Amino acid sequence: MLRRNLDLGSPFKVSRRARGGPFSGVVGGGGGGIGFQQTKGILKMEGIMEEDITEEQQRWFEYFMPRAERGDAQAQLAVGIGYANGKMVPKDLQKAELWLRLAANKMGERAVFHLMKILSREQSPRTKEVFEEKAEWNLGAIYLIYGRFVLRSSDTQLGRLYLKKGWDKGSIIAGISFFASKYRKPWKIVTLPIVLPLIVKAAIIKVRNKDDPRVLE
């Protein structure tokens, strides 16, 4: 079972051969999954020079890619994030969006949240386009991401409106951002009586389950 915390920069203690994946019939034939030389060939097609392919990249690719190709939503999410951060494969936002949208077919708005987060981090105009694909989102964290994105564009009033919407839909982090964005420094201190209890609550929830939708950010 995949780890829920998809830290794509850490080594995975997994088998060096991903059995029965779609690459078994595409790269090298047979039913034995993809091996070291085959993985190198695929990664070279991704633009990574053979001498630069690390064992960590090989393990990541052999573990996640066949599962993603077979339709495993968690693996598709991992591959999408991998293409977004560029650590295990060359950075490619188009491929990142492709895999995250495939993941969204099964995971729903959780995968869209990750897509929004990536696009927002890149200051991509696609952030707005993806957000406007639905008139109403159920996951408050999506409004958190978009509210922060709008705030960075200097539209404070509209950004706070989206943060408030996220807060209303259960995102504690959106609530913290909503109250904290009301004042500029040093006047933010006046929000402490409201914000501090929310910060403590969010910290406790994260310790118990960092994937809790109330504390996604």
Side-chain angles (χ1 to χ4, degrees), residues 5 205-212 215-216:
N5 178 22
I205 293 172
K206 282 185 177 182
V207 168
R208 294 173 179 169
N209 179 13
K210 62 167 51 178
D211 290 328
D212 190 302
V215 294
L216 288 177

Side-chain angles (χ1 to χ4, degrees), residues 17-151:
R17 299 181 69 83
R19 302 288 179 183
F23 294 112
S24 62
V26 177
V27 183
I34 53 178
F36 180 64
Q37 293 303 323
Q38 293 168 335
T39 302
K40 278 191 171 184
I42 297 170
L43 288 174
K44 283 172 69 178
M45 287 190 291
E46 290 286 348
I48 304 176
M49 299 299 293
E50 181 172 347
E51 60 269 21
D52 295 330
I53 298 172
T54 66
E55 184 176 353
E56 187 177 6
Q57 286 174 311
Q58 177 206 343
R59 287 185 175 186
W60 183 93
F61 196 90
E62 289 181 5
Y63 185 79
F64 282 115
M65 191 60 76
R67 288 165 172 80
E69 290 278 358
R70 290 198 296 267
D72 184 310
Q74 289 282 0
Q76 290 170 340
L77 179 68
V79 171
I81 294 173
Y83 275 114
N85 65 29
K87 291 181 180 179
M88 297 300 160
V89 285
K91 186 173 181 177
D92 189 322
L93 293 182
Q94 287 186 329
K95 288 183 179 179
E97 180 169 349
L98 169 67
W99 284 107
L100 289 170
R101 286 191 178 277
L102 287 173
N105 290 333
K106 293 181 179 178
M107 298 182 68
E109 293 186 3
R110 183 66 67 96
V112 177
F113 158 76
H114 284 285
L115 174 58
M116 290 277 297
K117 183 176 179 179
I118 289 164
L119 294 173
S120 172
R121 183 179 65 209
E122 299 291 330
Q123 288 292 298
S124 169
R126 291 280 299 136
T127 309
K128 183 175 186 291
E129 294 170 10
V130 173
F131 179 77
E132 291 179 345
E133 287 178 3
K134 284 182 66 174
E136 188 80 12
W137 298 94
N138 295 317
L139 186 63
I142 290 179
Y143 289 96
L144 163 69
I145 295 300
Y146 191 63
R148 286 176 170 176
F149 176 77
V150 173
L151 280 176

